[in-house]
Amino acid sequence: MNVQYLSKKDAKELRNKAKEMGFDFEPEKIITIDKDSKVLIGNGIFILTGNRLLPFIADKRVDLLPEISVDEGAVKHILNGASVMRPGVTKIDERVKKDKIVKVTFGKQVICIGFSLYDSNEMEKLEKGAVVKNVHRKGDKFWVAVSEYLATLKQKR
């Protein structure tokens, strides 16, 4: 695991990117997972995948995201990395917009963060097909990297 402090320039750039998305985030460190996957640590935790920034599934800012709820049958597939399919969707927040970040829930638990493939009104009309690209979920490479990072902090105490 490669953890580094961000330069002031990079931190400012990422802070501005988060602000454009409606988030107040002050990044300080970056964990590089692979070429296109990074975790940002600061006054919270965010993920940078490609050129897209999204909150870590356990970050409090996830509460601000539009929500798509799914049934129990969809949970296992989503936790294994599958896209969210329309037949498993039980509720669609009217704030859902195409290509924007959404949280996917089962009950009160957030099970993944992803990008909506449709606006809410288009999604409502669908009967089948993928509706959310699953980007981050519990147990994925981002989750593992953050868990390892937090474990190293505990060892240093």
Side-chain angles (χ1 to χ4, degrees):
M1 178 172 43
N2 182 9
V3 182
Q4 297 178 320
Y5 280 93
L6 286 163
S7 69
K8 287 183 180 182
K9 178 185 172 201
D10 288 345
K12 182 179 178 183
E13 207 173 280
L14 290 163
R15 182 175 52 250
N16 289 339
K17 188 176 191 115
K19 197 170 280 188
E20 287 171 15
M21 298 170 54
F23 296 113
D24 179 27
F25 178 59
E26 298 287 335
E28 296 172 6
K29 297 178 185 176
I30 188 166
I31 301 170
T32 301
I33 299 171
D34 58 44
K35 183 179 143 218
D36 293 321
S37 305
K38 296 166 178 51
V39 175
L40 303 169
I41 309 285
N43 64 337
I45 304 172
F46 270 67
I47 291 168
L48 185 61
T49 177
N51 195 29
R52 297 183 122 175
L53 189 64
L54 58 151
F56 184 72
I57 200 165
D59 190 286
K60 64 184 182 269
R61 293 166 188 88
V62 167
D63 293 342
L64 304 172
L65 298 175
E67 179 177 354
I68 293 177
S69 300
V70 297
D71 61 26
E72 188 174 1
V75 175
K76 179 176 82 171
H77 302 288
I78 293 167
L79 291 176
N80 283 327
S83 291
V84 178
M85 304 303 282
R86 181 58 180 104
V89 173
T90 58
K91 182 180 156 203
I92 303 166
D93 188 319
E94 64 186 25
R95 299 175 299 150
V96 171
K97 299 290 181 213
K98 184 177 181 177
D99 293 326
K100 298 296 180 184
I101 305 167
V102 296
K103 65 182 172 187
V104 177
T105 60
F106 173 66
K108 293 185 179 196
Q109 186 175 11
V110 178
I111 59 171
C112 91
I113 307 294
F115 292 99
S116 177
L117 301 175
Y118 300 92
D119 287 342
S120 60
N121 57 348
E122 295 173 300
M123 197 180 294
E124 288 281 1
K125 296 173 188 173
L126 296 174
E127 293 182 21
K128 60 183 181 177
V131 293
V132 175
K133 179 177 178 10
N134 184 344
V135 178
H136 169 48
R137 64 197 181 281
K138 289 183 179 178
D140 68 4
K141 62 186 176 183
F142 302 110
W143 183 270
V144 170
V146 170
S147 298
E148 289 174 2
Y149 171 75
L150 295 174
T152 62
L153 291 181
K154 285 182 182 178
Q155 289 175 354
K156 290 179 181 178
R157 290 184 188 170

